[in-house]
Amino acid sequence: MLVTSTEMFKKSMEEKFAIGAFNINNMEFVQAILDAAAEENSPVILQTSASAIKYARIPYLRKMIEAGLEEHDIPVVLHLDHGPDFETCKMCVDNGYTSVMFDGSKYDFEENIRLTKEVVDYAHSKGVVVEAELGKLAGVEDDVNVSDSDAMYTDPEQAKEFVERTGCDSLAIAIGTSHGAYKFKGEAKLRFDILEKIKALIPNTPIVLHGASTVIQEYVEMCNKYGGNMPGAKGVPDEMLHEASLRGVSKINVDTDLRLAMTGGIRKVFTENPEVFDPRKYMGVGRDYIKDTVKHKMKDVFGCSNKA
Ligand code: G3H
Ligand code: 13P
Ligand code: ZN
């Protein structure tokens, strides 16, 4: 069933687990993620960025998910990831998405509230839920010093005011993660102290962690071994994500790990079997690796297996 995230987030907070939100761009991703979720009997969030929508186009994305729902009886959310403006959010609400994110993190506090509230008012009038973001995710290339990076983390008091004034349904926070394959130069570090303060102030608001790929070393090595060039790629260790799931994070966003799984698989087939030119031969291997990755996260890290 295509559902909003309301019930699954409620259960995640009561039973202390997180739901995986996986970015999709094409059929192989949709099949791998939904097959994994069905085998794990897990709720799942499929999300598309604005650029994924530009690439794959909404009718295709929606129909592929509908096809998956014909095969599998699990709760699935179709979510807009990082909606950049009201128009994009509205387009998704009007096209059957059950959840949208408005990402106003680049605006100042008051403007973020004003723009988020506009999206909330429209989405709620159509029965769609809204994720908002407060705080800025660092990039490892930003090379910030401690005081600058402190300023990027989500302020707990502001988070409370933000949720009260916008009426958003869930909140993405910045506690040290970042997007992409290069998250930490040295040791991985998440500010669980900030998460704890936020949960104490807004215990009933589902919290979202972006930039939460592990950057699975097996696939990084596979990419590098077979002609790729990703030196020093590093993400958030599984143990930290598991801890986040126990400490009140309800939604964990994963894109990079799935890209690595697909790319590692394709590079391996291309290098080991240069005679292959049937796309099913390499896309199929990538699809299998994505499915393995999603199952591992659900079962061993997020704790959402058998929570459908
Ligand atoms: O958080 C961003 C996601 O990884 C989506 O990336 O805009 O390249 O599709 P994308
Ligand atoms: P990763 O780049 O760590 O996979 O993060 C994805 C994400 O946050 C999508 O919104
Ligand atoms: Zn993100």
Side-chain angles (χ1 to χ4, degrees):
M1 251 200 320
L2 207 55
V3 295
T4 71
S5 47
T6 308
E7 288 307 314
M8 58 176 82
F9 282 163
K10 199 162 159 260
K11 192 168 172 177
S12 84
M13 289 188 287
E14 282 164 8
E15 299 182 23
K16 297 201 186 314
F17 65 91
I19 293 144
F22 300 99
N23 288 71
I24 56 168
N25 299 286
N26 63 22
M27 182 190 78
E28 283 73 11
F29 278 63
V30 174
Q31 289 179 330
I33 298 161
L34 289 181
D35 288 357
E39 282 181 25
E40 291 303 321
N41 190 30
S42 170
V44 69
I45 298 169
L46 296 178
Q47 55 189 17
T48 69
S49 63
S51 61
I53 291 173
K54 194 166 170 221
Y55 175 79
R57 308 199 289 271
I58 282 187
Y60 290 84
L61 291 163
R62 211 182 50 211
K63 298 284 180 193
M64 283 192 293
I65 294 165
E66 278 172 19
L69 290 169
E70 278 182 29
E71 291 192 329
H72 303 302
D73 184 23
I74 44 166
V76 178
V77 173
L78 175 54
H79 174 75
L80 168 67
D81 189 31
H82 293 285
D85 47 40
F86 177 84
E87 288 68 32
T88 309
C89 293
K90 181 177 184 302
M91 173 180 75
C92 290
V93 168
D94 294 346
N95 276 281
Y97 281 57
T98 52
S99 174
V100 293
M101 174 191 193
F102 172 69
D103 180 357
S105 60
K106 67 171 184 280
Y107 298 103
D108 69 35
F109 185 62
E110 287 300 326
E111 189 66 352
N112 191 358
I113 289 180
R114 189 181 71 77
L115 294 170
T116 300
K117 184 143 186 5
E118 258 176 37
V119 173
V120 168
D121 288 345
Y122 183 74
H124 282 185
S125 76
K126 307 280 180 188
V128 171
V129 292
V130 177
E131 173 185 328
E133 179 164 333
L134 186 65
K136 286 191 181 69
L137 269 65
V140 77
E141 67 278 4
D142 290 347
D143 207 14
V144 285
N145 63 37
V146 175
S147 57
D148 282 347
S149 73
D150 257 338
M152 291 184 162
Y153 295 133
T154 306
D155 178 89
E157 298 286 345
Q158 277 196 343
K160 182 174 189 308
E161 184 182 342
F162 185 89
V163 168
E164 283 168 1
R165 287 176 59 192
T166 60
C168 66
D169 301 278
S170 59
L171 185 68
I173 60 166
I175 57 166
T177 60
S178 59
H179 291 107
Y182 304 91
K183 302 189 193 297
F184 301 101
K185 270 179 191 156
E187 283 295 290
K189 189 173 181 330
L190 293 193
R191 291 289 304 270
F192 285 117
D193 58 318
I194 296 177
L195 171 62
E196 196 174 324
K197 284 188 187 133
I198 293 171
K199 280 310 287 186
L201 289 170
I202 43 173
N204 299 321
T205 301
I207 298 299
V208 180
L209 204 56
H210 281 249
S213 276
T214 314
V215 187
I216 298 171
Q217 290 304 301
E218 181 190 345
Y219 294 126
V220 172
E221 280 157 24
M222 202 182 281
C223 287
N224 286 335
K225 180 174 173 191
Y226 296 111
N229 183 21
M230 306 188 65
K234 188 171 185 178
V236 187
D238 278 353
E239 304 76 52
M240 284 189 186
L241 296 170
H242 183 62
E243 187 172 346
S245 76
L246 297 175
R247 284 171 170 255
V249 167
S250 288
K251 174 175 179 269
I252 296 185
N253 281 14
V254 177
D255 187 357
T256 296
D257 278 337
L258 309 189
R259 294 179 178 191
L260 287 171
M262 175 59 82
T263 304
I266 290 175
R267 283 193 176 284
K268 184 169 155 51
V269 174
F270 278 176
T271 308
E272 287 182 345
N273 309 88
E275 75 287 357
V276 164
F277 66 97
D278 177 346
R280 292 169 297 188
K281 296 258 162 56
Y282 49 88
M283 299 290 280
V285 171
R287 181 173 62 182
D288 288 346
Y289 287 167
I290 292 176
K291 185 177 164 189
D292 291 347
T293 301
V294 172
K295 284 187 69 155
H296 162 67
K297 287 178 187 291
M298 289 174 162
K299 192 166 49 187
D300 307 321
V301 187
F302 302 165
C304 54
S305 291
N306 297 314
K307 301 289 188 185

